[in-house]
């Protein structure tokens, strides 16, 4: 005759069922998590590859080191035409020590009236030049200028 099941028997049965479910569920969960990790790894790899392409492109586009003459030419080309002319006028007056409006216009190759306007700007706005002999620079094209 069979004995009636005891509490320990029931605990044993429940434990066996739980172990059977776990034996099936754990590999499925691990398989699912592994696929998620692989998908994330692929996304990270794709993102890194895209970033590497961008970095390579930026490195290829990077400007090679400039010589002093190239840097000076780039600086001058960045200036607007009047600023470049103003710079040439200032350099000319500094080298010549004193120069008339007509001499400046002839050296730079512009109209004396335009040279007078730029000299006035260099004097009154920027303060880099001053009149060596006081005259009306707007009307006197022989007005003499010097470095301030």
């Amino acid at each position: 005759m069979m004995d009636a099941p005891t509490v320990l028997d029931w605990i044993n049965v429940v434990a066996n069922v739980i172990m059977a479910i776990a034996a099936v569920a754990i590999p499925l969960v691990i398989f699912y998590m592994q696929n998620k990790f692989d998908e994330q790894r692929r996304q990270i790899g794709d993102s890194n590859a895209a970033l590497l392409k961008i970095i390579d492109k930026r490195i290829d586009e990077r400007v090679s080191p400039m010589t002093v003459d190239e840097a000076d030419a780039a600086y001058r080309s960045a200036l607007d035409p009047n600023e470049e002319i103003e710079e040439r006028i200032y350099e000319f007056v500094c080298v010549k020590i004193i120069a008339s409006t007509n001499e400046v216009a002839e050296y730079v190759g512009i109209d004396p009236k335009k040279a007078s306007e730029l000299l006035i700007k260099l004097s009154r706005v920027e303060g880099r030049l001053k009149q060596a002999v006081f005259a009306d620079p707007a009307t006197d094209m022989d007005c003499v200028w010097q470095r301030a």
Side-chain angles (χ1 to χ4, degrees), residues 47-61:
S47 174
N48 288 347
L51 181 62
L52 184 60
K53 286 180 184 177
I54 291 170
I55 291 171
D56 285 344
K57 183 178 178 185
R58 295 278 167 90
I59 289 172
D60 291 343
E61 292 174 352

Side-chain angles (χ1 to χ4, degrees), residues 85 89 102 104-116 118:
I85 293 170
I89 289 172
N102 285 330
V104 168
E106 185 179 323
Y107 172 76
V108 179
I110 59 174
D111 180 56
K113 188 96 170 142
K114 178 73 173 172
S116 176
L118 294 174

Side-chain angles (χ1 to χ4, degrees), residues 72-115:
D72 186 49
Y75 169 75
R76 294 212 184 270
S77 69
L79 300 175
D80 72 39
N82 282 344
E83 288 183 12
E84 186 176 349
I85 293 170
E86 288 172 12
E87 198 61 36
R88 289 182 60 212
I89 289 172
Y90 180 73
E91 290 171 359
F92 176 73
V93 172
C94 289
V95 168
K96 191 142 179 0
I97 300 178
I98 50 174
S100 72
T101 302
N102 285 330
E103 290 173 326
V104 168
E106 185 179 323
Y107 172 76
V108 179
I110 59 174
D111 180 56
K113 188 96 170 142
K114 178 73 173 172

Side-chain angles (χ1 to χ4, degrees), residues 1-7 9-10:
M1 181 158 123
M2 279 196 111
D3 294 336
T6 62
V7 173
D9 291 335
W10 284 109

